[in-house]
């Protein structure tokens, strides 16, 4: 047998074997318990990175483990193929997004296959294919029919660089999540999905997903943002109608503090609020308001960003009436008021809200105390900050003297009696804007007719396909609106010849909100999916992906399942039973004073430990360990690892270096260490290869074995239990691998290893066979090519993946000896092993006679000696 493991020969061999034998191809089998494992499908960027490798390796281990346990396991792969990156890359490279995308898919598929991942490639999908997005368009039309989708003109998040709209969830610190450019507010006609119809249900089920990380649940709860409070109507001063339902005559606010209503001395509207423009028109404030609105449209509009910015506003030239005291109060538009929260209007109570207090001081607005603390008297002239604590109402008419917490309900009831307000619940969540002004996406299947208005594309005409012969606009934006052959169409309803197609495409998160259903029947032609296969496979048992998708993809997928459940198409509401959010792959940065960031291969470590740039020989600064990033050049190319070490060593390091939920810090020495371990196992199997194919593994009671054989047999059973528990309970592959390493060390440490094999008796050969066989089985999900090769060389006829996962023998988990820890005056001085049945007196005598203990007790008076039996037996000697 060769001295070293050679992945160049071994790994392609077994990849061909798995492919030829359809090892991972599955179909529905109701006689077996199903297991659906899915990693978030990748965007086809052209190359897999180490984040992909780690993510998919984690999933692959679980798939192989579950398959060996007898589950019917589905493990599909596909491509989240639409989106702006492909379109931008096509512009840069003077090609078509489809050509660029399909070329990248081919390259990445090849890389994934080289990693030996257990995908059922017959289920592969790409969301940019018409046979996929046809059913997305079909669902859109069903939602439109049920008023779950609608179109309106509204202010939206606009990225000038990408020339498209972004959902609120796609704006991160006022920047585009794709290109990091500042986001502006722009008024456009947009399509929306009514995700808010399911806000309560989405929130309630956050507590019914025990298999999801707490952090993700907190993020979703915060994003949905349920608040209980009151809706209050402020009549606009000078309105000529008493119709309180007319939104043009009233400003409706949502507040959680109706107890402070009498202290509201001015009103603030979001710059995007429609009343800002309407009420300021024709006033002396019109120009100033327009300038302010334009200014704010280019500023950060996230809640987090507004907290940190200077609070600014402009009087809009109009007033409204406080319904509590009929006081006329000025209306401002302010940069801290958000359309996405409440109603876009804020009743400002400066005496009891710090933000309002600062605003009132800045613009010299009235401040009125309405809650007085019991232990002091607030004086407006001397207040330096708002008072937000509890107290008794003052300056509040008939409610004076009430505890403010009691007044919340009382004032709300009074408002209801006056028809000026009511109790209500508000959600931070807003309807999902899905319109995108780009080419590379799913066309929205509606037609605009001058007579009929919005007309759905007839189902028989689906899919509305993207025209391929297009020239992309260099500055971004969609060319669809410029293509007469696409835009001009007859109205399906009245047959007018001057109707126009909608030229927006759908947000790419629409595609990823149901792809896991399509995997169940990827070639099904009669609907989005085959109901029977979805009934069998769904929901996904284990989903794996990044925390960054907590309030976008994961929330949208939950929403989509509720829509389909409402339509009676699926029987469940939650798509993913368990969720693992893996940590990032990180590495230190390297910075050259002349060349800036450099790649690891562009640096060299000298014998004295100094790191130099290979380009200019200048000293390189080793920076912080951060997430691998192309821009920072602290990346490792998976192809380089595959060439040097092979897939299995790469997989082993990704699993051994850190638990999956923690960040993995890249370490070249760690990779080399994993390579040494692989070869250590290789040599160990080679040493025993002559008898492993002929000798059956030991399978009887541990009590029948001799001392050395028994100790080894017990260690092997303990390892089986440890690995099984670590994978089953928390996917802690690092500790599972460590336990296998300990078993390998035990085999090497065995005295008989140093002897000629002829000196091993039959009993020990059986135990060694048991150990080696189980080492390979336990390692097979982690390093599958390596394990398959050694399994075959041990004379096993079938693939190791078809062997059942081992079960440990309960009578072989406890050793006959225990470790005794000895402390002298509280300090550790020695350890020794003794028979498990030794009584306290025997343990005390052994401890006192231990040579290491005698160094600290000899010639001294033993005041006390105590034996404490817990997980580990402790002897405490006091001298």
């Amino acid at each position: 047998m060769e001295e070293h493991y050679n992945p160049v020969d071994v790994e392609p061999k077994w990849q061909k074997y798995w492919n030829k034998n359809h090892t991972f191809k599955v179909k529905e089998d109701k006689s077996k318990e199903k297991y659906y494992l899915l990693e978030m499908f990748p965007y086809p960027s052209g190359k897999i990175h180490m984040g992909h490798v780690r993510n998919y390796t984690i999933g692959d281990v679980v798939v192989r483990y579950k398959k060996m346990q007898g589950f019917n396991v589905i493990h599909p792969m596909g491509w989240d193929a639409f989106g702006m990156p492909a379109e931008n890359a096509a512009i840069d490279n003077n090609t078509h997004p489809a050509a660029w995308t399909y070329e990248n898919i081919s390259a990445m598929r090849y890389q994934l296959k080289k990693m030996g991942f257990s995908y059922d490639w017959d289920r592969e999908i790409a969301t940019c294919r018409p046979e996929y997005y046809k059913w997305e368009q079909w669902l859109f039309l069903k939602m439109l029919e049920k008023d779950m989708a609608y179109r309106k003109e509204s202010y939206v998040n606009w990225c000038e660089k990408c020339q498209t709209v972004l959902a609120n969830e796609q704006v991160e610190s006022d920047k585009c999540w794709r290109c990091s450019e500042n986001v502006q507010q722009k008024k456009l006609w947009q399509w929306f999905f009514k995700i808010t119809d399911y806000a309560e249900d989405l929130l309630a089920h956050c507590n019914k997903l025990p298999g999801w990380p707490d952090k993700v649940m907190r993020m979703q709860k915060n994003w949905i943002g349920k608040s209980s409070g009151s809706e209050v109507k402020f009549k606009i001063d000078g309105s000529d109608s008493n119709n309180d339902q007319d939104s043009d005559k009233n400003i409706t606010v949502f507040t959680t503090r109706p107890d402070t209503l009498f202290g509201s001395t001015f009103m603030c509207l979001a710059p995007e609020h429609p009343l800002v423009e309407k009420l300021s028109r024709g006033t002396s404030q019109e120009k100033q308001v327009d300038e302010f609105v334009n200014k704010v449209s280019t500023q950060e509009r996230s809640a987090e960003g507004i907290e940190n910015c200077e609070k600014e506003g402009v009087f809009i030239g109009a007033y409204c009436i406080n319904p509590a005291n009929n006081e006329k109060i000025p209306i401002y538009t302010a940069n801290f008021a958000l359309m996405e929260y409440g109603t876009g209007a804020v009743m400002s109570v400066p005496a009891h809200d710090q933000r309002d207090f600062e605003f009132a001081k800045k613009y010299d607005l009235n401040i009125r105390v309405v809650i007085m603390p019991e232990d002091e008297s607030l004086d407006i002239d001397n207040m330096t900050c708002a008072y937000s604590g509890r107290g008794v109402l003052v300056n509040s008419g008939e409610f004076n003297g009430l505890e403010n917490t009691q007044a919340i309900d009382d004032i709300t009831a009074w408002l209801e009696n006056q028809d000026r307000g009511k109790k209500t619940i508000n959600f931070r969540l807003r309807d999902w804007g899905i319109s995108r002004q780009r080419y590379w996406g799913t066309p929205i299947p509606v037609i605009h007719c001058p007579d009929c208005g919005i007309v759905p594309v007839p189902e028989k005409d689906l899919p509305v396909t993207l025209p391929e012969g297009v020239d992309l606009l260099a500055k971004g934006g969609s060319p669809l609106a410029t293509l007469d052959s696409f835009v001009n169409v007859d109205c399906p309803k009245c047959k007018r010849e001057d109707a126009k197609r909608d030229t927006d495409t759908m947000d790419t998160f629409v595609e990823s909100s149901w792809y896991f259903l399509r995997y169940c029947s990827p070639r099904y032609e009669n609907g989005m999916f085959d109901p029977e296969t979805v009934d069998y496979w769904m929901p996904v048992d284990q989903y794996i992906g990044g925390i960054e998708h907590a309030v976008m993809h994961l929330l949208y997928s939950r929403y989509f399942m509720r829509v389909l459940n409402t339509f009676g198409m699926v029987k469940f509401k939650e798509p993913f039973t368990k969720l693992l959010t893996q940590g990032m792959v990180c590495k230190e940065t390297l910075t050259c004073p002349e060349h800036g960031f450099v790649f690891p291969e562009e640096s060299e470590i000298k014998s004295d430990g100094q790191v130099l740039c290979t380009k200019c020989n200048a000293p390189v600064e080793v920076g912080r360990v951060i997430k691998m990033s192309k821009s920072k050049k602290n990346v490792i190319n998976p192809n380089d690892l595959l060439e040097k070490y092979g897939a299995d060593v790469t997989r082993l390091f990704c699993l051994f270096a850190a638990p999956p939920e923690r960040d993995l810090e890249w370490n070249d020495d760690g990779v080399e260490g994993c390579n040494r371990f692989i070869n250590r196992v290789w040599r160990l199997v080679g040493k025993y290869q002559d008898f492993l194919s002929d000798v059956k593994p030991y399978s009887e009671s541990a009590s029948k074995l001799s001392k050395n054989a028994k100790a080894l047999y017990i260690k092997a059973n303990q390892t089986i239990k440890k690995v099984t528990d670590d994978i089953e309970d928390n996917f802690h592959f690092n500790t599972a691998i460590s336990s296998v390493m300990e078993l390998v060390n035990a085999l090497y440490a065995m005295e008989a290893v140093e002897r000629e094999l002829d000196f091993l008796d039959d009993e020990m050969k059986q135990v060694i066979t048991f150990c080696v066989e189980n080492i390979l089985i336990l390692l097979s999900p982690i390093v599958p090519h390596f394990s398959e090769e050694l399994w075959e060389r041990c004379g096993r006829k079938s693939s190791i993946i078809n062997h059942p996962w081992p079960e440990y023998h309960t009578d072989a988990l406890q050793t006959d000896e225990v470790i005794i820890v000895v402390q002298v005056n509280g300090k550790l001085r020695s350890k020794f092993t003794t028979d498990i049945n030794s009584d306290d007196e025997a343990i005390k005598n052994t401890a006192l006679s231990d040579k290491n203990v005698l160094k600290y007790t000899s010639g001294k008076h033993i005041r006390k000696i105590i034996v404490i039996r817990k997980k580990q037996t402790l002897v405490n000697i006091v001298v």
Side-chain angles (χ1 to χ4, degrees):
M1 186 164 159
E2 304 89 334
E3 185 177 353
H4 298 290
Y5 170 61
N6 184 4
V8 175
D9 295 332
V10 172
E11 292 179 353
K13 167 187 171 182
W14 289 104
Q15 289 163 15
K16 289 176 184 176
Y17 174 89
W18 297 325
N19 184 57
K20 180 181 178 181
N21 290 276
H22 308 291
T23 301
F24 302 109
K25 183 175 180 178
V26 291
K27 61 182 179 180
E28 298 73 41
D29 183 350
K30 293 185 179 179
S31 67
K32 286 185 175 183
E33 186 176 355
K34 67 92 179 179
Y35 190 85
Y36 189 167
L37 186 135
L38 184 64
E39 304 98 359
M40 294 180 185
F41 65 168
Y43 178 78
S45 59
K47 294 180 181 179
I48 64 171
H49 52 67
M50 288 310 303
H52 288 132
V53 171
R54 188 189 191 199
N55 188 13
Y56 302 147
T57 298
I58 291 167
D60 191 63
V61 173
V62 180
V63 166
R64 291 172 179 272
Y65 165 73
K66 287 293 183 181
K67 184 175 174 64
M68 295 174 79
Q69 284 190 317
F71 287 84
N72 191 27
V73 185
I74 183 174
H75 188 207
M77 173 51 71
W79 313 97
D80 190 9
F82 271 144
M84 288 183 289
E87 194 169 334
N88 292 339
I91 292 171
D92 293 341
N93 294 284
N94 195 28
T95 186
H96 192 278
W100 190 86
T101 298
Y102 290 129
E103 182 179 333
N104 288 349
I105 286 174
S106 295
M108 292 180 71
R109 185 192 301 115
Y110 174 76
Q111 288 179 295
L112 292 177
K113 287 185 174 182
K114 284 193 71 175
M115 289 298 303
F117 294 136
S118 54
Y119 295 122
D120 181 353
W121 286 104
D122 288 347
R123 296 179 181 270
E124 182 182 10
I125 61 173
T127 60
C128 61
R129 294 188 183 279
E131 60 266 28
Y132 181 87
Y133 65 74
K134 168 185 178 178
W135 299 109
E136 196 168 299
Q137 293 174 336
W138 177 88
L139 182 63
F140 176 94
L141 295 179
K142 296 301 177 187
M143 294 172 71
L144 183 63
E145 181 183 320
K146 298 294 184 181
D147 292 326
M148 293 178 171
Y150 64 94
R151 189 172 185 254
K152 72 173 183 178
E153 189 178 26
S154 67
Y155 281 94
V156 292
N157 304 306
W158 177 262
C159 176
E160 187 65 27
K161 182 175 180 180
C162 295
Q163 285 287 294
T164 193
V165 167
L166 304 173
N168 291 336
E169 296 87 343
Q170 295 167 329
V171 179
E172 300 173 349
S173 299
D174 194 41
K175 295 184 184 300
C176 172
W177 75 300
R178 284 289 191 193
C179 70
S180 297
E181 289 294 314
N182 286 334
V183 172
Q184 301 176 6
Q185 297 298 301
K186 189 173 184 177
K187 201 170 187 179
L188 293 174
W189 281 94
Q190 296 287 291
W191 285 98
F192 292 85
F193 283 157
K194 281 189 178 179
I195 189 173
T196 51
D197 284 352
Y198 295 92
E200 188 70 63
D201 196 55
L202 286 165
L203 183 63
H205 277 74
C206 283
N207 297 320
K208 300 177 182 179
L209 292 169
W212 284 45
D214 290 341
K215 183 178 180 181
V216 174
M217 289 291 85
R218 285 196 303 272
M219 292 171 72
Q220 291 217 355
K221 288 178 181 179
N222 290 339
W223 192 260
I224 296 168
K226 182 179 180 179
S227 300
S228 297
S230 301
E231 188 177 271
V232 185
K233 289 183 285 187
F234 288 67
K235 186 178 178 181
I236 297 171
D237 184 50
S239 59
D240 56 4
S241 170
N242 291 322
N243 181 5
D244 289 344
Q245 303 304 314
D246 186 348
S247 60
D248 288 339
K249 306 298 186 291
N250 292 284
I251 297 174
T252 302
V253 303
F254 171 80
T255 178
T256 59
R257 295 292 307 275
D259 54 320
T260 65
L261 180 59
F262 284 82
S264 177
T265 58
F266 59 97
M267 175 72 66
C268 286
L269 301 180
E272 303 87 0
H273 199 292
L275 286 175
V276 171
E277 181 180 358
K278 182 179 180 68
L279 294 177
S280 64
R281 284 294 167 263
T283 71
S284 60
Q285 293 294 109
E286 180 176 349
K287 182 180 180 183
Q288 194 175 354
V289 168
D290 287 346
E291 289 174 350
F292 179 78
V293 170
N294 289 333
K295 173 185 174 183
V296 173
S297 72
T298 64
Q299 294 177 345
E300 184 165 353
R301 299 296 288 147
S302 67
E304 296 78 8
I306 286 171
E307 282 297 317
N308 299 320
C309 75
E310 181 183 357
K311 310 305 182 285
E312 295 180 313
V314 172
F315 176 53
I316 69 169
Y319 295 85
C320 61
I321 307 300
N322 185 327
N325 53 20
N326 289 319
E327 179 184 6
K328 185 167 76 170
I329 61 176
I331 305 172
Y332 277 70
T333 180
N335 63 352
F336 59 79
L338 295 170
M339 278 303 296
E340 67 184 51
Y341 185 77
T343 63
V346 178
M347 65 169 223
S348 298
V349 186
H352 305 291
D353 181 275
Q354 185 59 31
R355 179 190 60 194
D356 296 345
F357 181 85
E358 294 171 3
F359 193 87
K361 286 289 188 181
K362 182 172 184 175
Y363 295 103
D364 196 24
L365 296 168
N366 186 28
I367 300 175
R368 179 185 302 119
V369 173
V370 293
I371 298 177
M372 193 71 73
E374 294 184 3
D375 56 352
E376 65 175 303
S377 179
L378 299 177
D379 181 358
I380 294 297
D381 294 333
N382 296 322
M383 287 180 69
T384 57
C385 64
Y387 174 71
S388 58
R390 299 175 65 172
V392 176
L393 262 62
V394 296
N395 299 320
S396 299
E398 64 186 84
F399 302 102
N400 283 342
L402 287 180
E403 290 281 345
N404 74 295
T405 52
Q406 178 188 342
I408 290 175
D409 289 335
D410 289 1
I411 291 178
T412 301
W414 179 80
L415 287 167
E416 289 190 22
N417 289 333
Q418 301 294 317
D419 197 25
R420 302 305 297 168
K422 62 181 180 180
K423 273 189 176 182
T424 190
I425 291 173
N426 183 70
F427 290 94
R428 179 190 177 199
L429 182 67
R430 288 292 176 262
D431 283 340
W432 176 11
I434 65 158
S435 293
R436 298 295 179 267
Q437 292 66 43
R438 296 300 294 248
Y439 163 75
W440 192 234
T442 298
I444 293 177
V446 297
I447 293 167
H448 301 275
C449 173
D451 288 338
C452 305
I454 294 173
V455 182
V457 171
E459 190 175 321
K460 64 180 179 60
D461 293 338
L462 297 180
V464 177
T465 57
L466 284 173
E468 294 192 4
V470 298
D471 292 325
L472 298 181
L473 305 181
K475 293 183 179 180
S478 173
L480 293 178
T482 68
L483 297 176
D484 291 344
S485 59
F486 178 80
V487 176
N488 296 330
V489 64
D490 293 350
C491 173
K493 195 171 182 180
C494 71
K495 308 306 179 185
R496 276 191 63 151
E497 297 179 354
D498 57 347
K500 306 288 184 183
R501 284 195 192 279
D502 198 305
T503 56
D504 283 352
T505 54
M506 295 190 206
D507 180 6
T508 55
F509 279 105
V510 177
E511 281 89 65
S512 60
S513 294
W514 69 282
Y515 76 104
F516 39 87
L517 298 174
R518 189 65 182 173
Y519 279 142
C520 298
S521 50
R523 310 296 170 246
Y524 190 66
E525 297 181 352
N526 298 319
M528 292 179 73
F529 47 81
D530 181 345
E532 288 188 11
T533 62
V534 165
D535 282 349
Y536 177 78
W537 289 114
M538 287 295 294
V540 173
D541 295 280
Q542 181 66 61
Y543 201 33
I544 302 174
I547 190 75
E548 65 272 16
H549 296 295
V551 293
M552 289 191 283
H553 162 58
L554 291 171
L555 185 63
Y556 295 152
S557 297
R558 296 181 65 215
Y559 161 62
F560 251 48
M561 293 311 99
R562 280 157 174 76
V563 171
L564 295 174
N565 179 266
T566 299
F567 288 156
M569 295 174 64
V570 298
K571 298 175 182 178
F572 53 89
K573 291 184 177 181
E574 295 296 343
F576 314 119
T577 303
K578 291 185 177 181
L579 172 69
L580 171 67
T581 52
Q582 86 283 355
M584 298 180 294
V585 182
C586 305
K587 198 178 191 313
E588 73 277 358
T589 57
L590 302 173
T591 309
C592 169
E594 181 176 343
H595 297 99
F597 290 117
V598 294
F599 290 106
E601 60 269 22
E602 294 174 337
S603 67
E604 182 182 6
I605 302 176
K606 296 297 183 180
S607 57
D608 60 359
Q610 189 178 28
V611 183
L612 301 179
C613 175
T614 56
K615 295 179 178 180
C616 63
N617 216 35
V620 167
E621 179 185 352
V622 179
R624 293 186 303 111
V625 175
I626 60 173
K627 178 185 176 181
M628 285 190 179
S629 163
K630 289 181 182 177
S631 62
K632 300 292 191 297
K633 298 187 177 181
N634 61 332
V635 293
I636 298 294
N637 187 341
N639 288 338
D640 295 340
L641 289 171
L642 291 175
E643 288 181 13
K644 185 174 182 180
Y645 294 106
D648 280 352
V649 171
T650 304
R651 292 166 58 114
L652 182 63
F653 175 75
C654 286
L655 298 167
F656 183 58
E661 73 278 7
R662 300 269 302 273
D663 289 348
L664 183 157
E665 184 176 334
W666 192 263
N667 185 300
D668 293 335
D669 292 338
V671 180
E672 189 56 49
C674 288
N675 187 51
R676 287 195 298 271
F677 171 69
I678 284 285
N679 281 286
R680 200 159 187 255
V681 177
W682 181 269
R683 291 191 298 272
L684 181 70
V685 175
K687 197 161 195 173
Y688 299 126
Q689 188 178 5
D690 289 347
F691 69 77
L692 287 173
S693 58
D694 300 322
V695 175
K696 291 184 178 181
Y698 187 78
S699 59
E700 297 185 42
S701 172
S703 61
K704 296 180 180 181
L705 293 170
S706 60
K707 182 178 179 180
N708 288 340
K710 184 178 183 180
L712 198 57
Y713 186 64
I714 288 172
K715 183 64 176 175
N717 278 278
Q718 290 173 337
T719 303
I720 294 170
K721 183 178 187 304
K722 174 67 173 168
V723 172
T724 303
D725 290 348
D726 283 343
I727 296 177
E728 192 68 43
D729 295 342
N730 50 25
F731 297 164
H732 279 193
F733 309 113
N734 56 325
T735 52
I737 294 165
S738 291
S739 64
V740 177
M741 289 177 171
E742 290 178 10
L743 178 57
V744 171
N745 290 340
L747 276 165
Y748 267 103
M750 187 180 57
E751 184 180 352
V753 169
E754 302 302 326
R755 304 177 186 170
E756 293 294 328
L757 296 185
D758 291 344
F759 286 86
L760 291 174
D761 59 26
D762 291 341
E763 176 190 76
M764 184 59 83
K765 286 182 179 180
Q766 285 184 304
V767 171
I768 290 174
T769 302
F770 178 83
C771 291
V772 170
E773 189 173 272
N774 280 289
I775 285 171
L776 298 181
I777 295 172
L778 297 176
L779 286 177
S780 65
I782 297 164
V783 284
H785 313 84
F786 173 84
S787 301
E788 287 273 24
E789 182 68 17
L790 289 180
W791 186 255
E792 182 183 66
R793 293 191 183 211
C794 289
R796 306 304 185 262
K797 301 301 181 185
S798 65
S799 168
I800 198 170
I801 191 68
N802 295 322
H803 193 282
W805 188 258
E807 295 183 359
Y808 55 83
H809 302 279
T810 53
D811 70 330
L813 295 177
Q814 296 295 328
T815 63
D816 293 335
E817 294 182 331
V818 292
I819 297 174
I820 309 297
V821 175
V822 185
Q823 292 182 342
V824 178
N825 289 347
K827 293 185 178 181
L828 177 65
R829 297 305 184 189
S830 187
K831 292 181 182 179
F832 63 86
T833 57
T834 189
D835 189 277
I836 195 170
N837 297 314
S838 298
D839 58 24
D840 286 3
E841 284 304 312
I843 291 173
K844 289 178 183 179
N845 290 332
T846 304
L848 290 171
S849 61
D850 184 280
K851 64 179 182 179
N852 292 319
V853 173
L854 285 172
K855 294 177 184 177
Y856 302 96
T857 60
S858 182
K860 296 179 181 179
H861 173 63
I862 306 296
R863 296 169 57 195
K864 189 187 295 184
I865 180 168
I866 305 170
V867 177
I868 303 171
R869 293 181 182 265
K870 290 187 177 179
K871 272 189 176 182
Q872 195 169 46
T873 302
L874 171 69
V875 178
N876 195 7
I877 302 172
V878 181
V879 296

